[in-house]
Amino acid sequence: MSDPVLDVVPEETSDQVTSLIEARELGRWYGEVVGLSDLSVVIQPGITGLVGPNGSGKSTFMKLIVGELKPSRGGVRVLGHQPFANRELYRDLGFCPQQDALYDHLSAHGFLAHLLRITGMSANESKQRAKRALGRVGLTEAMHRKCGTYSKGMRQRVRIAQAIAHDPKLVIFDEPLSGLDPIARHQIRTIFKEMVEAGSSLLVSSHVLHELQGLTDRIVLIHRGRLLAQGSVTDIRRLLSQHPRRISITSDAPVELAVELMRLPGVRATRIAENERTLTVETRDAQGLFDQLPAIATRLKAGITSLDSDDEDLEAVFDYLVD
Amino acid sequence: MAFLKATLLIAALQVRVLIQSIRFVICALVALVPAGIALAAGGTTDTEKIGADLSIMLLQFAAPLVGLILGSVVIAEEVEGRTITFFFTRPLHRSALFLGRWAAVALVGGVLIAVSAATVSYGSSHATFRDLQPELHWELQAERATGWKTTQTGSQSVVRYQDEFRDNRRKHVSHLEPGEIIELPMDRRGRPQRIIATERKPRNLDLPEGFAGLLMLSGSLGAAIYTIITAGLSIFVKRPMILGLAYAFAVEGLLANLPGSTQALSVQFYLRSILIDPESPMWNRWSSMGSEFLEPSQAILRLSVFGLILLIGCSRAVVRKQFLLTS
């Protein structure tokens, strides 16, 4: 495994006192399976995206942050606290887990009010906060329905609501946008921005980089349980763009199109599928191809009917970065 | 105080959630089994026998099963449903969460079993499809006459008996009332013979005094202990119900029913000690199993201490335990 590609992992300095999360040589394994290995990273206030392919260790890292697990080696401090079973920390921390788990026989409002009530809030305050949090995620009308009747997106929003209902300083979101429709995604992203404006900090994980684009400029890339890179989205995207990407094009003239595209800089190979209409192009300069493609297609009258990019295949990108 | 308040609050909320759940309905049905049998069959046979058998059924079947089903609510249900994260990432002491949820299931389980116990006690002695009107019995006061019986037809009763020479005799009498005396012919030596009519309830209609209270106490305590066992198991294993069932019905079933001192290693032994009075003929079958039962107060004390130690151990374990949830 190579060192992080973007060497922006900060050294220990006095300004780390203000850091939200500080992991040092953090490792966690499950029997012989390594979940996280030797991760050192400092996360500052604001929104930070935690990106990595499935199985990269994102969830393990988050479970260590929220104190659901103990490190096998190294350590992590969150808001200055050791997180495992730390009640002081949980007053300022919210966690939206990835797993689709809710109490199907309870209403969203009842569930949230219950959670808030057992932490010492009055019955009235619990209900008010539950109502407000559910309103923020757009579930006002459905909040008295049982969770078992909710769609996947609605269930995700309930989990987000429970994470923000007590107005925590730091909220950890494990794949919060997964399974949401575009409207709900926009709504949640708006909530995230409002939370940051109100002074909260967020750590948001995703296996899809572009989900976090526009939300934050700070990305932590992890892969195979290790920190791979940390930097701005622009830096990360530039890095990723150097990786050969496969683009599938369905066209009425795939052969002619393949010949023309091979002339573009960065295009390494083209292949026509058995259906004789789908062309797969492998290129190191995807953006250049996208820029040129409309003109070429018009000139050739290629009749392009679909265009698919493997942009979301982060697994391949990470493998490329590691190799 | 904050810990106690949090524990009570969690318990109160958990009770409300629990009684709306399917699990509660299942537990109620389980608890209903011995109670239903008592209501259906009680009084149709020997009251003490059915009372004893159903009590043991309650202690050995219903209380453990209700305890096991409800005990898994405390931790295992949350781990399996992957919802425990919602609680463990709150400013809440994990011990308070454990104890509060346990208190809720112990209360619900205890009440279910107590109601079942009360019904078993009532049903065994009272409920019947047979008319249990007091019956008239006749007591023969004679030295030689034997084999007598009476039949009653309308307002007439016929007393049949054999005299000292085995000769069948009969005497017609008018409708008998309690206390009425039927004077029979004197025997050959001139000794008086008589039959006295007495009113008597069917045999063993009443269970021993205090039986219902002891059964409710032992059953509820048993359910509470089994909830701790399951809740404790669920901290360490993923499928506590399987282990709990194996323990309650295989291990305990063997230990508690084999003659000898090994009985004292089972929860059932202490529950039976609370309930069973070795002096009472009602418990002849159970008190002759080769083990001397404890005094009820001793049994309650030892079981309570055992439960308390388990609770403290579980509360400490749940604070230290990492729960691995699969996505």
Side-chain angles (χ1 to χ4, degrees):
Chain A
M1 188 83 64
S2 64
D3 290 328
V5 178
L6 296 182
D7 188 15
V8 288
V9 180
E11 297 295 317
E12 288 180 48
T13 57
S14 58
D15 65 358
Q16 284 182 351
V17 175
T18 60
S19 62
L20 291 175
I21 300 166
E22 183 182 343
R24 189 177 299 170
E25 297 173 355
L26 187 61
R28 168 72 207 196
W29 42 86
Y30 310 94
E32 294 183 353
V33 178
V34 177
L36 208 59
S37 170
D38 199 24
L39 180 71
S40 293
V41 65
V42 174
I43 294 173
Q44 304 292 350
I47 302 183
T48 302
L50 180 65
V51 183
N54 290 327
S56 61
K58 297 190 302 295
S59 291
T60 298
F61 184 37
M62 291 193 150
K63 285 175 181 175
L64 288 162
I65 291 170
V66 300
E68 196 175 300
L69 299 177
K70 293 177 188 171
S72 302
R73 62 162 295 189
V76 60
R77 294 188 78 81
V78 181
L79 300 173
H81 296 281
Q82 298 280 357
F84 186 78
N86 189 325
R87 281 172 287 152
E88 283 303 309
L89 171 65
Y90 296 143
R91 293 188 195 287
D92 296 324
L93 182 75
F95 179 46
C96 174
Q98 182 183 3
Q99 59 263 20
D100 182 21
L102 283 177
Y103 297 91
D104 289 346
H105 60 286
L106 291 180
S107 69
H109 184 263
F111 167 54
L112 259 67
H114 180 125
L115 283 180
L116 294 168
R117 183 86 173 95
I118 61 174
T119 57
M121 288 183 193
S122 68
N124 193 42
E125 186 183 3
S126 303
K127 288 176 184 172
Q128 290 302 321
R129 279 179 176 266
K131 187 177 175 183
R132 193 180 65 190
L134 289 163
R136 289 176 73 183
V137 296
L139 282 177
T140 300
E141 288 183 9
M143 70 180 175
H144 293 297
R145 268 171 49 196
K146 289 189 176 179
C147 293
T149 65
Y150 288 174
S151 67
K152 188 178 177 186
M154 292 168 83
R155 294 168 70 85
Q156 179 73 301
R157 282 188 271 170
V158 175
R159 289 198 296 278
I160 292 171
Q162 65 79 31
I164 64 176
H166 56 300
D167 294 331
K169 290 179 186 169
L170 170 64
V171 192
I172 311 295
F173 292 99
D174 196 356
E175 302 270 0
L177 302 173
S178 172
L180 297 186
D181 58 50
I183 296 171
R185 282 179 186 226
H186 176 73
Q187 201 167 22
I188 298 304
R189 289 162 72 97
T190 305
I191 292 168
F192 287 171
K193 287 174 182 171
E194 287 172 0
M195 289 179 71
V196 173
E197 285 168 10
S200 295
S201 294
L202 317 180
L203 177 64
V204 183
S205 80
S206 176
H207 62 280
V208 183
L209 181 62
H210 70 69
E211 268 189 356
L212 302 178
Q213 206 165 16
L215 189 66
T216 177
D217 200 35
R218 279 194 302 238
I219 298 291
V220 173
L221 273 180
I222 65 172
H223 181 53
R224 293 181 185 164
R226 303 188 70 169
L227 178 67
L228 197 60
Q230 186 176 9
S232 70
V233 174
T234 312
D235 292 336
I236 302 290
R237 286 202 73 83
R238 188 184 306 125
L239 188 68
L240 299 185
S241 69
Q242 294 168 10
H243 166 66
R245 286 165 58 189
R246 278 189 293 275
I247 295 162
S248 298
I249 305 168
T250 306
S251 165
D252 294 337
V255 177
E256 293 82 352
L257 197 56
V259 171
E260 282 298 312
L261 291 179
M262 278 300 289
R263 292 176 181 153
L264 293 178
V267 174
R268 289 167 32 145
T270 57
R271 184 168 58 85
I272 297 172
E274 289 179 2
N275 65 12
E276 297 184 349
R277 289 198 69 230
T278 304
L279 172 68
T280 304
V281 184
E282 192 176 309
T283 177
R284 282 183 178 277
D285 183 12
Q287 196 55 51
L289 185 143
F290 291 140
D291 291 344
Q292 297 291 326
L293 187 60
I296 295 171
T298 305
R299 191 172 72 243
L300 297 177
K301 296 179 180 171
I304 292 175
T305 53
S306 75
L307 182 69
D308 292 312
S309 167
D310 293 340
D311 185 36
E312 294 186 3
D313 186 7
L314 273 182
E315 180 73 56
V317 176
F318 283 112
D319 286 341
Y320 163 72
L321 289 177
V322 173
D323 295 339
Chain B
M1 280 304 288
F3 181 87
L4 185 63
K5 187 180 173 187
T7 305
L8 292 175
L9 193 57
I10 290 163
L13 289 168
Q14 185 62 33
V15 166
R16 277 169 47 198
V17 172
L18 191 59
I19 58 178
Q20 296 176 51
S21 67
I22 297 291
R23 201 176 286 260
F24 174 76
V25 177
I26 295 170
C27 287
L29 290 174
V30 170
L32 196 67
V33 172
I37 294 174
L39 288 173
T44 58
T45 180
D46 188 315
T47 301
E48 286 186 344
K49 183 177 182 304
I50 196 167
D53 288 349
L54 288 177
S55 301
I56 295 298
M57 183 187 187
L58 183 86
L59 296 186
Q60 202 167 305
F61 163 74
L65 202 50
V66 167
L68 293 173
I69 294 170
L70 291 177
S72 61
V73 169
V74 180
I75 295 291
E77 188 182 58
E78 305 294 340
V79 173
E80 279 181 31
R82 297 167 296 167
T83 46
I84 202 162
T85 302
F86 296 127
F87 295 101
F88 279 1
T89 52
R90 300 277 153 190
L92 183 68
H93 201 293
R94 288 186 176 188
S95 293
L97 180 71
F98 178 84
L99 291 174
R101 291 173 68 90
W102 169 77
V105 298
L107 178 69
V108 170
V111 168
L112 281 177
I113 293 298
V115 170
S116 178
T119 312
V120 163
S121 180
Y122 172 83
S124 299
S125 57
H126 291 88
T128 177
F129 295 117
R130 189 175 60 133
D131 181 11
L132 274 184
Q133 294 301 312
E135 295 174 351
L136 282 175
H137 288 255
W138 291 267
E139 185 181 348
L140 179 65
Q141 292 187 344
E143 290 186 4
R144 302 285 176 177
T146 57
W148 63 273
K149 66 176 183 179
T150 63
T151 53
Q152 192 161 335
T153 312
S155 60
Q156 283 285 309
S157 290
V158 180
V159 180
R160 294 185 178 85
Y161 64 100
Q162 290 182 325
D163 65 13
E164 58 188 315
F165 300 106
R166 303 280 179 189
D167 291 336
N168 291 320
R169 295 186 178 276
R170 70 170 57 185
K171 179 178 174 63
H172 289 266
V173 294
S174 60
H175 186 75
L176 286 171
E177 293 296 331
E180 192 169 335
I181 297 171
I182 305 167
E183 294 291 349
L184 302 177
M186 287 188 287
D187 67 16
R188 295 193 178 194
R189 294 185 183 179
R191 290 172 296 198
Q193 297 185 114
R194 59 170 58 172
I195 290 174
I196 301 174
T198 57
E199 185 182 45
R200 205 169 66 184
K201 291 179 181 176
R203 192 175 71 84
N204 293 334
L205 186 64
D206 292 325
L207 291 166
E209 192 177 347
F211 173 85
L214 288 175
L215 183 57
M216 289 165 72
L217 176 64
S218 55
S220 302
L221 190 56
I225 294 292
Y226 285 108
T227 58
I228 305 176
I229 291 172
T230 322
L233 282 173
S234 67
I235 298 172
F236 303 101
V237 298
K238 281 191 174 176
R239 305 277 180 202
M241 273 288 283
I242 297 170
L243 269 184
L245 287 169
Y247 171 75
F249 296 110
V251 178
E252 286 239 319
L254 195 67
L255 289 176
N257 295 311
L258 275 181
S261 58
T262 52
Q263 287 186 9
L265 297 174
S266 68
V267 174
Q268 288 295 318
F269 170 77
Y270 298 95
L271 299 180
R272 290 175 188 178
S273 291
I274 296 169
L275 180 66
I276 292 176
D277 175 9
E279 304 297 322
S280 167
M282 174 180 180
W283 296 107
N284 279 346
R285 181 181 154 208
W286 298 97
S287 55
S288 64
M289 289 181 65
S291 183
E292 284 189 15
F293 289 114
L294 299 172
E295 285 294 315
S297 59
Q298 273 294 310
I300 293 169
L301 180 66
R302 291 191 191 186
L303 210 50
S304 301
V305 169
F306 171 67
L308 194 61
I309 291 170
L310 269 185
L311 270 182
I312 292 170
C314 292
S315 299
R316 293 173 68 88
V318 84
V319 173
R320 292 169 169 75
K321 173 74 176 172
Q322 301 173 78
F323 294 91
L324 298 180
L325 309 180
T326 52
S327 296

